[in-house]
């Protein structure tokens, strides 16, 4: 009995050790088990970093140039990254001006900050980059200013010099016609402040503003404002192309609203919908209200409802929601009834598979998980409906009382803080319907149940798949564990690849918002194998990218990586402790790199020689033909939506496998699903793939397809 209890104690110590093997960087020299070489054909490769060559027309390799007054002007970092339908990339900055904080971000940032800049990046022949500045360059954020809601009358700093309409913490979504909608953002000010002095107590207020970027002329214009100010909201495109918006917070540091006391102390519970055709926002009413974390992980289900995957940003500095335990409950919003349905506690029912048994045994005894492996295999195939049932069963199986807290941290149930949420490919069932949606989350911070915000500080290596089964006409939720990540990761970006694997990039070993600048960057990428449901380490990036890193799939199947805009060190100034082994914290990183997955180096990638029309303007339910010399070998055709990503998520991210209905010579004929909730209107990349003789899925480069909007 005693040795087993000691093992559990060791497990807890190892789980929370900030200098475990993975954080010491030793995994950076590891080689995936399936490979005995570090060649690009095995683990992929990263290009050399590149960034915008000028600051205010001055050519420089530096990130920032001080002006005559000593104020630094800097190149923007891709804190938000959008893949446009024409192959270019729109991005905008995060925390612009933070390099000019001298002593304390809490006291100075309202005056130091400026409105975030936007850019459009084009990659020409040989990946030669060029940049243009949209008009206006700051998206015209909040052009008429913002009237803040002061806690103390007259306490707002008079004559502030900082931004009052930054894009920082706005969410974005692509409209059906390819334009980009950006909602919310940040008004920085001091409350209370000192009149005439650029110091005070920082406040960040969520904006009501909404702006639209038009790729055809590279301009931003204002559209109708939301009903509620939102900082960190999430926007989801509905089946009819309207946009549903939820959560965000109106005031971050001091969320007290004298005019609405009942709203104080929590995030915005009201939801609203943007009518794209009429440019009108509508409050969805009382039944549509729900307490959610910031940037909640939302997705459109094949039945047209909006699914909440129990994930989000879980840190509002000094503004945690009093009702945050509700964030652990998975739910779905019906645009028809304008109401929510609770679906269960996140992570339960838990269906235990081989990977889940391995994950539990490793978590309970990381020093020698094989001791427990045989015992826990008896649980494979069982379904557990609650944490209590799992703990009781484990105790009975192992012959001693299991510490529930250890199990909770091991299985990662409940809300996942600061994790990606990737919708795995939608596939037809035996009846020809898209009746099941699955979502992969990995890393982030665990919530310790009631202590949802800010979470457990240290990142987790736990990984799980949540499923929603729609086959019975209802919504049956379940969950299963996958293999663990090779490194604990906070704020890692996930990308769905056209071979149906998932890559994660960047991040850190602990929460860089709770204690900025004292995290250790995770440079090595990892790949999730959808067949074995295990993670394997891949190539190592050139740059360390933690907070506000981004990654997006390119039309040729590679991945564009950017971002890194950390908060000033310990909320003071930008002190760089990289020499001590921590992540770089001397300001934002404006560079990009391109990751080439292993399939890029293959010589046997199938080639799309033509489609019926390129780019295709397609109707749902229609047939069209793809021409390829390898038509007989093509076993998958899929549409992957262009990515619009910020803070790890694109709520509209989806990959849809399209049935092949006929083959004739060099052609493959496919039939698009008729269901607009499966294939919402907008722009997609069409990939074909084959399975090579070695069992590897080999995808083509893509051709663009536009799915037409539903007639209204």
């Amino acid at each position: 009995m005693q040795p087993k209890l000691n093992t559990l104690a060791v497990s807890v110590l190892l789980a929370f050790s900030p200098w475990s093997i993975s954080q010491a960087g030793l995994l950076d020299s590891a080689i995936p088990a399936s490979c005995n070489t570090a060649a690009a054909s095995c683990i992929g490769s990263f290009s050399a970093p590149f960034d915008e060559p000028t600051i205010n027309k001055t050519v420089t390799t530096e990130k920032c140039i001080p002006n005559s007054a000593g104020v630094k002007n800097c190149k923007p970092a891709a804190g938000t990254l959008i893949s446009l339908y024409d192959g270019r990339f729109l991005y905008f900055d995060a925390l612009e001006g933070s390099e000019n904080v001298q002593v304390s971000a809490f006291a100075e940032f309202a005056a130091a900050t400026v409105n975030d800049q936007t850019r459009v990046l084009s990659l020409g022949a040989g990946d030669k980059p060029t940049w243009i500045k949209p008009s206006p360059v700051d998206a015209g954020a909040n052009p008429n200013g913002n009237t803040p809601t002061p806690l103390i009358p007259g306490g707002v700093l008079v004559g502030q010099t900082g931004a009052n309409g930054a894009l920082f913490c706005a969410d974005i979504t692509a409209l059906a016609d390819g334009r980009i909608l950006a909602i919310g953002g940040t008004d920085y000010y001091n409350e209370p402040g000192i009149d005439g002095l650029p110091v005070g107590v920082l406040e960040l207020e969520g904006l009501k503003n909404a702006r639209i970027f038009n790729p055809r002329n590279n301009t931003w214009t204002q559209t109708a404002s939301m009903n509620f100010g939102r900082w960190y909201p999430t926007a989801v495109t509905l089946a009819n192309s309207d946009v549903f918006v939820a959560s965000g917070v109106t005031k971050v540091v001091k969320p007290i609203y004298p005019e609405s006391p009942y709203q104080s102390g929590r995030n915005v519970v009201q939801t609203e919908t943007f009518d794209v055709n009429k440019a009108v926002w509508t409050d969805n009413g009382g039944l549509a209200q729900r307490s959610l974390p910031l940037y909640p992980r939302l997705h459109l289900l094949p039945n047209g409802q909006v699914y909440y995957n129990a994930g989000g940003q879980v840190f509002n500095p000094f503004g945690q929601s009093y009702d945050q335990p509700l964030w652990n409950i998975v739910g779905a919003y019906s645009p028809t009834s304008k109401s929510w349905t609770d679906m269960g506690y996140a992570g339960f029912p838990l269906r235990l598979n081989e990977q889940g048994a391995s994950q539990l045994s490793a978590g309970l005894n990381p020093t020698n998980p094989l001791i427990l492996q045989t015992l826990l295999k008896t649980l494979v195939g069982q379904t557990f409906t609650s944490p209590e049932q799992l703990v009781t069963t484990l105790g009975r199986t192992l012959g001693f009382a299991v510490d529930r807290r250890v199990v909770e941290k091991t299985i990662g149930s409940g809300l996942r803080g600061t994790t990606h949420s990737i919708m795995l490919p939608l596939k037809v069932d035996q009846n020809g319907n898209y009746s099941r949606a699955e979502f992969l989350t990995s890393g982030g911070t665990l919530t310790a149940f009631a202590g949802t915000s800010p979470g457990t500080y240290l990142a987790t290596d736990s990984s799980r798949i949540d499923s929603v089964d729609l086959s019975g006409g209802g919504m049956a939720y379940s969950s299963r564990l996958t293999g663990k990540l090779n490194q604990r990761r906070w704020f890692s970006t996930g990308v769905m690849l056209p071979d149906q694997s998932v890559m994660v990039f960047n991040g850190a070993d602990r929460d860089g918002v709770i204690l900025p600048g004292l995290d250790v960057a995770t440079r090595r990428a990892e790949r999730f194998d959808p067949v074995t449901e295990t993670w394997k380490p891949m190539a190592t990036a050139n740059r360390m990218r933690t907070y506000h890193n981004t990654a997006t799939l390119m039309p040729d199947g590679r991945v564009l990586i950017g971002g890194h805009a950390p908060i000033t060190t310990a909320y003071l100034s930008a002190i760089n402790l990289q020499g001590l082994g921590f992540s770089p914290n001397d300001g934002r990183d404006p560079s990009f790199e391109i990751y080439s997955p292993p399939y890029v180096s293959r010589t046997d990638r199938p080639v799309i020689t033509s489609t019926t029309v390129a780019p295709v303007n397609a109707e749902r339910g229609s047939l069209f033909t793809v021409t390829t010399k390898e038509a007989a070998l093509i076993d998958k055709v899929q549409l992957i939506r262009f990515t619009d990503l910020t803070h790890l998520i694109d709520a509209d991210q989806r990959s849809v496998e399209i049935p092949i209905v006929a083959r004739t010579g060099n052609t493959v004929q496919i039939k698009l699903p008729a269901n607009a909730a499966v294939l919402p209107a907008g722009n997609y990349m069409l990939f074909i793939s084959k399975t090579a003789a070695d069992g590897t899925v080999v995808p083509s480069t893509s051709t663009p397809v536009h799915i037409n909007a539903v007639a209204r």
Side-chain angles (χ1 to χ4, degrees):
M1 296 287 286
Q2 188 62 37
K4 293 178 181 178
L5 293 176
N6 287 341
T7 296
L8 287 177
V10 171
S11 170
V12 176
L13 290 175
L14 288 177
F16 286 91
S17 171
W19 296 110
S20 62
I21 290 176
S22 63
Q23 272 55 249
L26 298 184
L27 281 177
D28 282 350
S29 62
I31 295 175
S34 61
C35 293
N36 57 10
T37 174
S41 59
C42 177
I43 61 174
S45 61
F46 284 87
S47 72
F50 60 93
D51 59 49
E52 191 175 8
T54 62
I55 298 177
N56 294 335
K57 300 183 179 180
T58 299
V59 177
T60 179
T61 59
E62 300 295 325
K63 296 191 295 185
C64 304
I65 296 178
N67 62 18
S68 58
V71 176
K72 294 178 180 178
N73 296 314
C74 303
K75 300 174 183 177
T80 295
L81 182 59
I82 299 144
S83 181
L84 299 173
Y85 66 87
D86 57 10
R88 300 180 301 157
F89 303 91
L90 170 69
Y91 66 96
F92 55 81
D93 208 355
L95 294 173
E96 185 152 359
S98 57
E99 292 88 349
N100 291 306
V101 172
Q102 299 297 310
V103 178
S104 169
F106 283 120
E108 300 174 54
F109 198 62
T113 188
V114 294
N115 285 344
D116 303 295
Q117 300 180 69
T118 65
R119 293 288 191 275
V120 174
L121 166 65
S122 299
L123 295 173
D127 293 328
K128 182 179 180 181
T130 56
W131 284 264
I132 63 171
K133 296 180 179 180
S135 176
V137 72
D138 66 354
N142 220 33
N144 298 319
N146 178 61
T147 302
T149 54
L151 174 62
I152 303 172
V156 175
L157 180 63
V158 177
Q160 63 175 346
T161 58
N164 64 352
L167 281 167
F168 176 58
C169 288
D171 194 23
I172 71 284
T173 189
L175 302 179
D177 60 6
R179 294 178 300 158
I180 305 299
L181 175 69
I183 59 166
T186 311
D187 178 11
Y188 303 92
Y189 57 89
N190 286 326
E191 182 189 8
I194 302 173
D195 193 8
L197 295 176
V199 294
V201 180
L202 179 66
E203 185 58 82
L204 293 79
E205 183 155 335
L207 299 174
K208 298 179 180 179
N209 291 81
R211 324 140 186 96
I212 293 177
F213 175 79
N214 189 340
R216 293 166 181 81
N217 57 13
N218 301 311
T219 60
W220 288 94
T221 56
Q222 296 288 310
T223 188
S225 293
M226 296 182 292
N227 294 291
F228 304 92
R230 299 180 188 267
W231 187 82
Y232 269 65
T234 296
V236 184
T237 299
L238 301 176
N240 66 356
S241 298
D242 287 348
V243 178
F244 171 78
V245 176
S247 195
V249 68
T250 299
K251 292 178 67 175
V252 181
V253 182
K254 303 177 287 293
I256 300 173
Y257 313 106
E259 74 287 1
S260 302
Y262 66 93
Q263 182 66 32
S264 298
R266 59 178 180 167
N267 297 333
V268 179
V269 297
Q270 295 87 351
T271 67
E272 49 190 310
T273 300
F274 182 60
D275 186 315
V276 175
N277 290 339
K278 298 179 180 178
V280 173
W281 291 93
T282 301
D283 185 336
N284 292 319
L287 295 178
Q289 295 183 9
R290 190 179 183 93
S291 177
L292 296 166
L294 299 176
Y295 272 128
R297 286 18 177 181
L298 303 178
H299 304 269
L300 182 68
L301 292 172
N303 64 356
Q305 298 200 33
V306 177
Y307 167 68
Y308 165 57
N309 196 29
Q313 307 303 104
V314 293
F315 188 76
N316 319 26
F318 309 113
Q320 289 78 9
S321 296
Y322 64 78
D323 52 5
Q324 61 193 22
L326 298 174
W327 302 348
N328 294 302
I329 306 300
V330 174
Y333 169 77
S334 168
T336 302
S337 65
K338 296 184 178 181
S339 63
W340 288 87
T341 299
D342 290 339
M343 299 168 64
Y345 189 90
F348 290 93
L350 174 67
R351 180 74 174 177
L352 203 63
N353 56 16
E354 293 282 349
Q355 293 301 326
S358 298
Q359 183 166 333
L360 278 173
S361 62
L364 290 171
N365 188 356
T367 59
N368 190 356
L370 294 179
I371 293 176
L372 301 179
Q373 189 71 33
T374 302
L375 287 173
L376 290 179
K377 280 185 179 294
T378 63
L379 303 181
V380 171
Q382 293 193 40
T383 300
F384 303 95
T385 58
S386 69
E388 291 78 10
Q389 183 189 12
L390 175 61
V391 169
T392 301
T393 304
L394 281 173
R396 185 167 56 247
T397 302
L398 301 176
F400 64 91
V402 177
D403 187 338
R404 171 176 172 169
R405 292 169 297 176
V406 174
V407 178
E408 289 171 358
K409 292 175 176 60
T410 301
I411 65 176
S413 62
L415 175 86
R416 282 290 182 82
T418 319
T419 179
H420 61 77
S421 180
I422 296 291
M423 176 185 276
L424 298 177
L426 294 172
K427 302 178 181 182
V428 293
D429 61 18
Q430 59 185 4
N431 298 317
N433 299 317
Y434 294 86
S435 60
R436 189 177 187 84
E438 295 197 320
F439 305 88
L440 173 69
T441 57
S442 66
T445 57
L446 303 184
T447 61
F449 286 75
T452 302
S453 181
T456 51
Y457 177 55
L458 296 178
T460 181
D461 55 5
S462 181
S463 175
R464 78 177 187 226
I465 293 176
D466 295 334
S467 301
V468 181
D469 187 344
L470 308 170
S471 59
M475 293 182 293
Y477 169 79
S478 63
S479 185
R480 68 184 184 272
L481 298 172
T482 76
K484 284 177 174 285
L485 290 164
N486 293 276
Q487 292 178 273
R488 295 189 280 117
R489 291 178 178 272
W490 169 84
F491 215 94
S492 287
T493 298
V495 177
M496 170 61 64
L497 297 183
D499 66 355
Q500 299 196 347
S501 67
V502 175
M503 293 288 301
V504 293
F505 301 94
N506 309 317
D509 69 336
R510 66 201 79 181
D511 193 322
V513 173
I514 294 178
L515 200 56
L518 296 176
D519 47 358
V520 178
T522 52
R523 290 169 53 213
R524 186 150 200 174
E526 297 194 41
R527 177 183 182 270
F528 178 77
D529 186 321
V531 177
T532 64
E533 296 192 352
T534 57
W535 291 92
K536 293 184 178 178
M538 303 295 280
T540 300
N542 295 289
R543 296 288 177 85
M544 298 181 183
R545 305 178 191 273
T546 58
Y547 201 32
H548 301 116
N549 73 79
T550 49
T552 184
L553 181 66
M554 300 170 64
D556 61 6
R558 297 180 298 165
V559 181
L560 181 66
I561 314 291
H564 179 66
I567 300 170
T568 54
T569 306
Y571 291 93
L572 301 174
S573 59
I575 305 167
N576 192 4
L577 301 177
Q578 187 175 353
L580 298 178
F582 297 104
S583 62
N585 222 62
D586 57 344
R588 293 160 292 129
D589 187 339
S591 72
F592 294 89
E593 341 180 18
I594 297 174
Y595 174 72
S596 296
Y599 55 70
V600 171
S601 62
R602 297 182 68 108
T603 59
D604 59 344
R605 296 183 72 182
V607 177
I608 299 173
T609 54
S610 71
T611 54
T612 306
V613 180
V616 176
N617 281 299
E619 299 290 342
R620 294 181 197 83
S622 66
L623 297 169
F624 72 87
T625 301
V626 180
T627 303
T628 175
K629 293 180 180 179
E630 298 186 85
L633 300 177
I634 301 305
D635 50 22
K636 287 186 178 65
V637 179
Q638 58 187 328
L639 289 172
I640 300 181
R641 193 176 176 95
F642 282 84
T643 305
D644 312 310
L645 182 133
T646 189
H647 288 75
L648 309 183
I649 59 165
D650 172 9
D652 290 339
Q653 171 268 324
R654 66 208 300 111
S655 171
V656 183
E657 198 171 300
I658 310 298
I660 298 173
V661 296
R663 303 175 197 266
T664 55
N666 290 338
T667 65
V668 174
Q669 192 173 56
I670 60 176
K671 184 174 183 179
L672 297 176
N675 184 352
V678 172
L679 205 61
N683 292 288
Y684 293 78
M685 296 170 276
L686 184 144
F687 290 92
I688 59 175
S689 62
K690 65 179 183 181
T691 303
D694 61 3
T696 303
V697 176
V698 184
S700 66
T701 62
S702 72
T703 191
V705 173
H706 179 263
I707 303 299
N708 294 330
V710 176
R712 298 172 63 180

